[in-house]
Amino acid sequence: MRNEDSYVALGLKTWNAQIDRADKLFGRLSSEEILREIAPGRNRLLYLWGHLTAVHDAMLPLLSLGERLHPEFDVAFVLNPDKSRADIPSHEQVLQAWNVVNVELSRGFEKMSWSDWIQRHSAVSEEDFAKDASRNRFAILLSRTNHLSYHLGQAVLGLK
Amino acid sequence: MRNEDSYVALGLKTWNAQIDRADKLFGRLSSEEILREIAPGRNRLLYLWGHLTAVHDAMLPLLSLGERLHPEFDVAFVLNPDKSRADIPSHEQVLQAWNVVNVELSRGFEKMSWSDWIQRHSAVSEEDFAKDASRNRFAILLSRTNHLSYHLGQAVLGLK
């Protein structure tokens, strides 16, 4: 194993650990519990889960792993705040999308070599990447892992 | 620059970004605001800040960068829940410790080469490290960055 693989493996291990936490946290909730707010007047658990799903879905094209599977989640969970729209995806739909999106990412990650990870991500131009090589796919992995942790810290407040 | 340095630089960039967020979030609070709970009956902002300070302080020996500077923070902010003790460090003390600890870490990080980061951390034995080389210093950096994000997601709920 090359040294480079060690760093990539650690980035993926940290990502997987947070995904597991999210699976356990959200996966055990009933359809009533998922509608709880994390604090009075704050986002509901369903909104956070849908938000995470949408952000992970957007990683597919960002990392050149494929097209988005659920672009329709953005209107409900990214572009608008919680409780501003009646027609958001259901508990069942979010659960299924969450699982499918993360499996698809996981499959994509398996095919990526250490050198793929330090290539530019698709939202940065070749010109900008030439100026700042830190705008690469590994940076996306680390920042999205932290994004997940950030919202897990909130979601745990909505339990019990 | 070696490839290995790219991954380390990204890990440090992500760490620094979260430290900056924490500096801004906690640093602007008055001595009244710092005593707010993040949600009714939950931890106060001062507790979260002290907790993060204690956990970062413990990274110094864990990464072999030096002795702990504030081991006394553990009783107040790690070993006991919030509001269980009257004698916890003050706003001023937490602010100062937070700054000193993170500067000390930052200085230590600057001296570490890419190969230092994939050495074992001090809480794992040589024997266990031989079985699982992922228990290294870079793993600590990534997990503590996520720990910080987790609590930042909570702390932001205590603002305004």
Side-chain angles (χ1 to χ4, degrees):
Chain A
M1 188 162 97
R2 295 177 60 115
N3 289 323
E4 290 93 334
D5 291 317
S6 303
Y7 299 98
V8 170
L10 286 163
L12 290 174
K13 188 179 175 182
T14 309
W15 166 266
N16 288 328
Q18 305 310 318
I19 293 285
D20 281 352
R21 286 174 87 177
D23 281 345
K24 285 187 184 110
L25 193 157
F26 292 111
R28 74 179 198 197
L29 299 175
S30 70
S31 288
E32 274 174 41
E33 291 168 330
I34 204 77
L35 296 176
R36 273 200 211 131
E37 293 173 335
I38 55 167
R42 302 289 188 162
N43 290 330
R44 291 173 298 175
L45 290 162
L46 180 63
Y47 184 85
L48 286 187
W49 202 12
H51 175 71
L52 290 167
T53 303
V55 169
H56 291 193
D57 189 46
M59 290 169 71
L60 291 167
L62 207 48
L63 301 176
S64 302
L65 298 174
E67 299 283 305
R68 288 195 62 168
L69 302 173
H70 291 286
E72 78 283 4
F73 269 43
D74 284 6
V75 175
F77 299 121
V78 179
L79 303 172
N80 293 291
D82 192 18
K83 294 167 266 181
S84 64
R85 304 175 60 88
D87 58 334
I88 68 168
S90 68
H91 182 194
E92 191 55 44
Q93 287 170 322
V94 173
L95 167 63
Q96 200 183 331
W98 167 261
N99 285 329
V100 169
V101 165
N102 288 307
V103 165
E104 194 65 17
L105 282 173
S106 206
R107 279 198 196 121
F109 294 166
E110 277 171 29
K111 289 180 202 142
M112 289 173 72
S113 70
W114 64 266
S115 60
D116 289 331
W117 282 105
I118 47 175
Q119 300 306 308
R120 74 182 168 94
H121 61 71
S122 71
V124 64
S125 68
E126 286 192 39
E127 201 179 357
D128 287 342
F129 186 63
K131 288 178 208 148
D132 181 1
S134 77
R135 301 179 68 179
N136 60 31
R137 297 171 194 178
F138 196 64
I140 296 290
L141 180 69
L142 298 188
S143 79
R144 293 308 181 275
T145 307
N146 277 279
H147 175 259
L148 176 50
S149 292
Y150 182 91
H151 289 302
L152 281 175
Q154 298 177 333
V156 76
L157 300 173
L159 302 183
K160 82 152 194 279
Chain B
M1 189 163 94
R2 296 178 60 114
N3 290 324
E4 291 92 333
D5 291 317
S6 303
Y7 298 98
V8 169
L10 286 163
L12 291 174
K13 187 179 175 179
T14 310
W15 166 267
N16 288 328
Q18 305 310 317
I19 293 285
D20 282 350
R21 285 173 87 177
D23 282 344
K24 285 188 184 109
L25 192 156
F26 291 111
R28 75 180 198 196
L29 298 175
S30 71
S31 288
E32 273 175 43
E33 290 168 330
I34 204 77
L35 296 175
R36 274 200 209 130
E37 295 173 332
I38 55 167
R42 301 291 189 163
N43 290 330
R44 291 174 298 176
L45 289 163
L46 180 63
Y47 184 85
L48 286 187
W49 202 11
H51 175 72
L52 290 168
T53 303
V55 169
H56 291 193
D57 189 45
M59 290 170 72
L60 291 168
L62 206 49
L63 301 176
S64 302
L65 298 175
E67 299 284 306
R68 287 195 63 169
L69 302 174
H70 292 284
E72 79 282 6
F73 268 43
D74 285 6
V75 176
F77 299 121
V78 179
L79 303 172
N80 294 291
D82 193 18
K83 292 166 266 182
S84 63
R85 303 176 61 87
D87 58 334
I88 67 169
S90 67
H91 181 194
E92 191 55 43
Q93 288 169 322
V94 173
L95 166 64
Q96 199 183 333
W98 167 260
N99 285 330
V100 169
V101 165
N102 288 308
V103 165
E104 194 65 16
L105 283 172
S106 204
R107 278 198 196 122
F109 294 166
E110 276 170 31
K111 289 180 201 141
M112 290 173 71
S113 69
W114 64 266
S115 59
D116 289 331
W117 283 105
I118 50 176
Q119 301 305 308
R120 74 181 169 95
H121 60 72
S122 71
V124 65
S125 69
E126 286 192 36
E127 202 178 359
D128 287 342
F129 185 64
K131 290 177 206 148
D132 180 2
S134 78
R135 300 178 69 179
N136 59 33
R137 298 172 193 177
F138 197 63
I140 296 291
L141 179 69
L142 298 188
S143 79
R144 294 307 180 276
T145 306
N146 278 278
H147 175 259
L148 175 51
S149 292
Y150 182 91
H151 290 302
L152 281 176
Q154 298 177 332
V156 76
L157 299 173
L159 302 183
K160 81 150 189 281

